[in-house]
Amino acid sequence: MENTQEKTVSFFRFEDLRIYAKATDYSTWIINNIGQPSDDTQRNLVNSFCHSSYDIALNIAEGSSRNKSQFEHYLKISKSAIRECIVYTAIATNIGLLNEERCNQSREYLMELTRMIGALIISLQRGSSRRRDEYDTEDEDTVGDDNTSDIDNIDTNF
């Protein structure tokens, strides 16, 4: 009999990452919680804000298909998008598109995303340094191909 408590693994492995789910939750939160823009300037701000929030998840998804050093690079791009969202949160609050409570909620989301991405980057770096240590005594020709995706080796708790 099959164990029904086994976790189903997604075809697209990045969908199993908690950090990806948190990033898409944040984009949805922005769409549902930002006020209605009253002019073109505010519409441009909202569009840019949404675009930056999408970039967080998009870069996680893209980087997850790459090797560890490239994944780390994409995660750093996601952190840049988070900083953009901090700026958009401040501006949206200043012009009344977010109230203080929603401003604080946005900042909490972004701080949690920053911590999660930082922890994943550290995890990737530790894994890379362990791999280098293992190969220090091996012949160059026996070292694994670093151009393959390493998402199968990543803890989905990130």
Side-chain angles (χ1 to χ4, degrees), residues 33-52:
N33 286 280
I34 195 142
Q36 191 63 33
S38 61
D39 58 36
D40 285 343
T41 301
Q42 288 186 0
R43 269 187 286 286
N44 288 336
L45 173 79
V46 169
N47 288 337
S48 296
F49 196 170
C50 288
H51 181 79
S52 290

Side-chain angles (χ1 to χ4, degrees), residues 1-9:
M1 185 154 98
E2 193 174 312
N3 182 355
T4 58
Q5 291 186 350
E6 285 184 24
K7 183 177 178 185
T8 303
V9 177

Side-chain angles (χ1 to χ4, degrees), residues 13-24:
R13 294 296 310 269
F14 65 86
E15 292 179 316
D16 294 331
L17 297 172
R18 278 189 29 226
I19 184 66
Y20 171 77
K22 179 64 79 171
T24 58

Side-chain angles (χ1 to χ4, degrees), residues 107-152:
R107 292 180 60 81
E108 287 294 322
Y109 254 113
L110 295 168
M111 286 186 287
E112 183 174 7
L113 283 164
T114 299
R115 285 190 294 270
M116 292 173 79
I117 290 173
L120 182 50
I121 289 170
I122 288 169
S123 174
L124 290 169
Q125 290 171 340
R126 283 185 185 145
S128 293
S129 66
R130 264 188 254 131
R131 268 178 76 186
R132 278 193 297 273
D133 291 345
E134 290 171 9
Y135 297 130
D136 280 347
T137 60
E138 294 182 14
D139 184 34
E140 254 183 56
D141 294 334
T142 63
V143 177
D145 181 7
D146 198 34
N147 291 323
T148 59
S149 172
D150 287 311
I151 193 161
D152 291 333

Side-chain angles (χ1 to χ4, degrees), residues 45 86-97:
L45 173 79
I86 289 289
V87 173
Y88 290 130
T89 295
I91 295 169
T93 303
N94 290 345
I95 63 173
L97 290 173

